Amino acid sequence: MKRTKNLPEKQQKLVEKLLDEACKKMIVLFGSCTAIFDGRIKSFLPKGDRMLFVKKDETLILHGSKGLKPLNWQLSGAGKINYLIEDEKLVVRTYRPKTKETLEILFDEIYQATIYDAHDSASLSIYGSESDLSDYLFSHPEIIDKNFQPTAREFETPFGFLDLRGVDKSGNPIIVEVKKRGATPADAHQLKRYVEYFEEVEKIKVQGILVAQSFSSKVMNVLRANNLEALEVPWQEIFPSLANEKPKVTMDDYIKDD
Amino acid sequence: MKRTKNLPEKQQKLVEKLLDEACKKMIVLFGSCTAIFDGRIKSFLPKGDRMLFVKKDETLILHGSKGLKPLNWQLSGAGKINYLIEDEKLVVRTYRPKTKETLEILFDEIYQATIYDAHDSASLSIYGSESDLSDYLFSHPEIIDKNFQPTAREFETPFGFLDLRGVDKSGNPIIVEVKKRGATPADAHQLKRYVEYFEEVEKIKVQGILVAQSFSSKVMNVLRANNLEALEVPWQEIFPSLANEKPKVTMDDYIKDD
DNA sequence: GTATGCATCTCGGGA
DNA sequence: TCCCGAGGTGCATAC
């Protein structure tokens, strides 16, 4: 990429443009910069080539050349983003009062600045969440146990919501905590605290079952130590993945040309 | 923004360029697209103006006009990103074998394509993490209690690591769980598990203290019910925030001109 | 490689 | 508004 010298007058013009377009359009700046964040944590980012992305809601995202997570960012809801020239260099400065967080990005050089006029009213639709899995288990209780009869979903306790409640064939109460991913020790603890709620507060002895994709030995230890059950449910078989086969749903099913 | 017609020959040239530069440079495409993700979850994104950002490590990020989080993405480590022309439209398709996840982005129109040659060897340095706070409390135990004497940091139990262990002036054992953020019910239960471990397995009665930024009434209820202590530690006073005052550390302290 | 827990977690839903 | 838990959590670190 050609690196044009950033002449002062050119920079001044850019700043005016940026201030003018802020909150109306997406702004992408590409250049060499350093950054300092101060708030919930402090961080310093030495000089390097980055992409700064400012959205219409003034979310500010500074990306490096690797990984999904940005190097630095500022959430929307911060005050106005300041674009200034200091020492002939572009400085982008934001302050988020709610969390008292400042982000300061100093551009040594700007290689390219682009202002996009984006229109997007669409929103992402999702299928296959943990709550979908709970729903499915509620209506297909035999997956949990052939004698399991669910009685409630999203049952509230003072310790939080539990996913499924039911009984076995003898009427003994069962509670189920559902995780789509692999179980963590925290998940086992979560289930334990629901069981404790019933035993200590409601004076009911319940069987706790943790449903998850997989169980590590440490998690199994916690479960066994607390007399809780583990049930491996491969949700991929419940929500058949299209990944391995020819997609059954293609974009053509959705796309409408104007 | 001027919306140039995407002529087939032009698109073909873009595809060649994209394939050529993949993994060598950052790619930014701006246009109108739909997207389908299939893997850990299924999602469909209707048509709208988006920014597609492909990093050198083949991380792929599709951003909408709001919020920090991308609408769709693919982590690095996926197979080669496919850029194809289908029905005279650019299709970006990736498959990540590890998690069997596909992402397909179909561009209805491309407004701008940019290829950046980024050089960034610098890495972010961070100060003020939870572990920094634990370290600080270990060396300044009077913050927890004037009679607290720490004996261990990162002490392992079968239920997980606890942050601090120590004794009071009478030699009674104390364990401390440290959170930098506000305490959650799960935090209180985690501490309870640790206390139970000592009482049930090691047959030692210990006092549990939860250190956090703030405590909700629900969390306080759980703590009180289990005879656990809450200690509000304003870490902002420990790692003085520069947010409210004139920054003491400015970029000038770091920046070295080549 | 897997497992574990932090994160400037972000985000959405519910009270 | 705050509180709470899910997340395609991502990510580093410990094993």
Side-chain angles (χ1 to χ4, degrees):
Chain A
M1 164 163 291
K2 204 172 67 189
R3 303 191 175 197
T4 3
K5 199 89 198 140
N6 292 142
L7 301 169
E9 60 272 24
K10 200 175 154 190
Q11 294 226 4
Q12 190 53 49
K13 211 174 150 190
L14 173 61
V15 165
E16 283 164 23
K17 190 87 180 148
L18 292 173
L19 289 168
D20 194 44
E21 302 289 13
C23 276
K24 280 180 274 180
K25 297 180 182 177
M26 288 183 179
I27 295 164
V28 170
L29 295 183
F30 185 73
S32 169
C33 68
T34 58
I36 291 179
F37 176 82
D38 188 356
R40 280 169 286 183
I41 208 163
K42 293 172 195 296
S43 77
F44 172 67
L45 180 65
K47 202 197 279 188
D49 288 349
R50 318 267 155 60
M51 189 200 66
L52 174 64
F53 183 30
V54 184
K55 294 192 180 186
K56 278 157 103 179
D57 64 353
E58 296 211 282
T59 302
L60 189 155
I61 311 175
L62 185 66
H63 268 288
S65 54
K66 275 160 33 179
L68 176 63
K69 279 187 65 178
L71 293 163
N72 281 111
W73 66 92
Q74 184 75 283
L75 295 173
S76 86
K80 198 152 179 41
I81 296 173
N82 289 303
Y83 301 94
L84 315 158
I85 302 292
E86 288 180 7
D87 258 344
E88 302 197 352
K89 289 172 179 174
L90 175 66
V91 180
V92 181
R93 198 176 282 135
T94 72
Y95 174 64
R96 192 165 178 259
K98 191 178 183 175
T99 42
K100 292 180 182 168
E101 290 170 319
T102 53
L103 175 59
E104 187 174 66
I105 302 167
L106 194 148
F107 279 93
D108 194 56
E109 211 175 342
I110 292 172
Y111 308 142
Q112 191 180 70
T114 314
I115 295 170
Y116 296 127
D117 185 10
H119 297 281
D120 186 2
S121 55
S123 67
L124 190 71
S125 64
I126 276 179
Y127 171 69
S129 63
E130 182 182 296
S131 127
D132 289 332
L133 179 53
S134 290
D135 286 340
Y136 190 88
L137 293 174
F138 186 76
S139 53
H140 298 77
E142 70 281 0
I143 292 169
I144 291 172
D145 188 279
K146 65 177 194 293
N147 296 313
F148 177 63
Q149 294 182 322
T151 56
R153 216 171 107 33
E154 287 289 310
F155 184 83
E156 187 175 15
T157 76
F159 287 1
F161 281 83
L162 57 90
D163 293 315
L164 288 174
R165 191 179 175 179
V167 290
D168 67 14
K169 64 178 169 186
S170 314
N172 302 314
I174 293 173
I175 61 173
V176 185
E177 175 63 25
V178 178
K179 296 293 165 186
K180 239 187 64 183
R181 44 167 173 72
T184 67
D187 298 333
H189 293 159
Q190 190 184 357
L191 178 58
K192 174 80 196 290
R193 76 190 216 229
Y194 295 146
V195 170
E196 277 175 354
Y197 161 74
F198 282 100
E199 293 185 348
E200 292 171 13
V201 180
E202 308 249 328
K203 309 290 178 198
I204 303 170
K205 190 154 172 51
V206 301
Q207 179 58 49
I209 302 175
L210 180 56
V211 167
Q213 169 95 298
S214 60
F215 294 85
S216 71
S217 58
K218 193 163 195 169
V219 171
M220 286 306 296
N221 286 342
V222 177
L223 292 174
R224 266 194 291 265
N226 293 287
N227 198 32
L228 303 169
E229 276 178 44
L231 180 62
E232 214 171 293
V233 170
W235 64 271
Q236 286 143 322
E237 292 170 20
I238 294 175
F239 301 99
S241 173
L242 309 179
N244 296 329
E245 34 187 287
K246 207 78 195 153
K248 282 158 197 141
V249 181
T250 70
M251 291 232 213
D252 298 331
D253 297 326
Y254 296 98
I255 292 158
K256 302 270 175 293
D257 287 312
D258 325 280
Chain B
M1 166 164 292
K2 202 173 66 187
R3 302 191 175 197
T4 1
K5 197 94 197 138
N6 292 144
L7 302 170
E9 62 271 24
K10 200 175 154 189
Q11 294 224 6
Q12 191 54 48
K13 210 173 151 189
L14 173 61
V15 165
E16 283 164 23
K17 190 88 181 149
L18 292 173
L19 288 168
D20 193 45
E21 302 288 14
C23 275
K24 284 179 274 182
K25 298 180 179 174
M26 287 182 178
I27 295 165
V28 171
L29 294 183
F30 185 74
S32 169
C33 67
T34 58
I36 290 179
F37 175 82
D38 187 356
R40 279 170 285 183
I41 210 165
K42 294 174 195 295
S43 75
F44 172 67
L45 181 66
K47 201 196 279 188
D49 289 347
R50 318 265 154 61
M51 188 200 67
L52 173 64
F53 182 29
V54 184
K55 295 192 179 187
K56 279 157 102 181
D57 64 353
E58 297 211 279
T59 302
L60 189 154
I61 311 174
L62 185 66
H63 269 287
S65 55
K66 276 161 32 181
L68 176 62
K69 282 186 67 178
L71 293 163
N72 280 112
W73 66 95
Q74 185 75 285
L75 294 174
S76 90
K80 197 152 178 41
I81 296 173
N82 289 302
Y83 301 94
L84 314 159
I85 302 291
E86 289 180 7
D87 260 344
E88 302 197 351
K89 288 172 179 173
L90 175 67
V91 180
V92 181
R93 198 177 280 136
T94 71
Y95 175 63
R96 191 164 178 258
K98 193 177 182 174
T99 42
K100 293 179 181 167
E101 291 170 319
T102 54
L103 175 59
E104 188 174 67
I105 302 168
L106 194 149
F107 279 93
D108 194 58
E109 209 175 343
I110 292 172
Y111 308 143
Q112 190 179 70
T114 315
I115 295 171
Y116 296 126
D117 185 11
H119 297 281
D120 187 1
S121 54
S123 67
L124 189 71
S125 64
I126 274 180
Y127 172 69
S129 64
E130 182 180 297
S131 132
D132 287 334
L133 178 54
S134 290
D135 286 339
Y136 190 88
L137 293 174
F138 186 77
S139 54
H140 297 77
E142 71 280 0
I143 292 169
I144 291 173
D145 188 279
K146 66 178 195 290
N147 295 314
F148 178 62
Q149 295 182 320
T151 56
R153 216 168 109 32
E154 288 290 306
F155 184 84
E156 189 177 13
T157 77
F159 286 0
F161 281 81
L162 57 89
D163 293 314
L164 287 174
R165 191 181 175 178
V167 290
D168 68 13
K169 66 178 168 184
S170 314
N172 303 314
I174 294 172
I175 62 175
V176 184
E177 176 63 26
V178 177
K179 297 290 167 190
K180 233 188 68 182
R181 44 168 174 72
T184 67
D187 297 332
H189 283 275
Q190 187 184 0
L191 178 59
K192 183 183 174 187
R193 294 285 162 270
Y194 295 146
V195 170
E196 279 174 356
Y197 162 75
F198 282 101
E199 293 185 350
E200 290 168 17
V201 181
E202 308 249 329
K203 310 291 179 196
I204 302 169
K205 190 154 171 51
V206 301
Q207 178 59 49
I209 303 175
L210 181 56
V211 168
Q213 169 96 299
S214 59
F215 294 85
S216 69
S217 59
K218 193 165 193 171
V219 171
M220 286 307 296
N221 287 341
V222 176
L223 291 175
R224 266 193 292 266
N226 294 285
N227 198 32
L228 302 168
E229 277 178 42
L231 181 62
E232 214 172 292
V233 171
W235 62 272
Q236 288 142 320
E237 291 170 19
I238 294 174
F239 301 99
S241 174
L242 309 179
N244 295 329
E245 32 188 290
K246 208 76 193 154
K248 282 158 197 140
V249 181
T250 70
M251 292 231 211
D252 298 331
D253 297 326
Y254 297 97
I255 292 157
K256 302 273 175 291
D257 288 311
D258 324 284

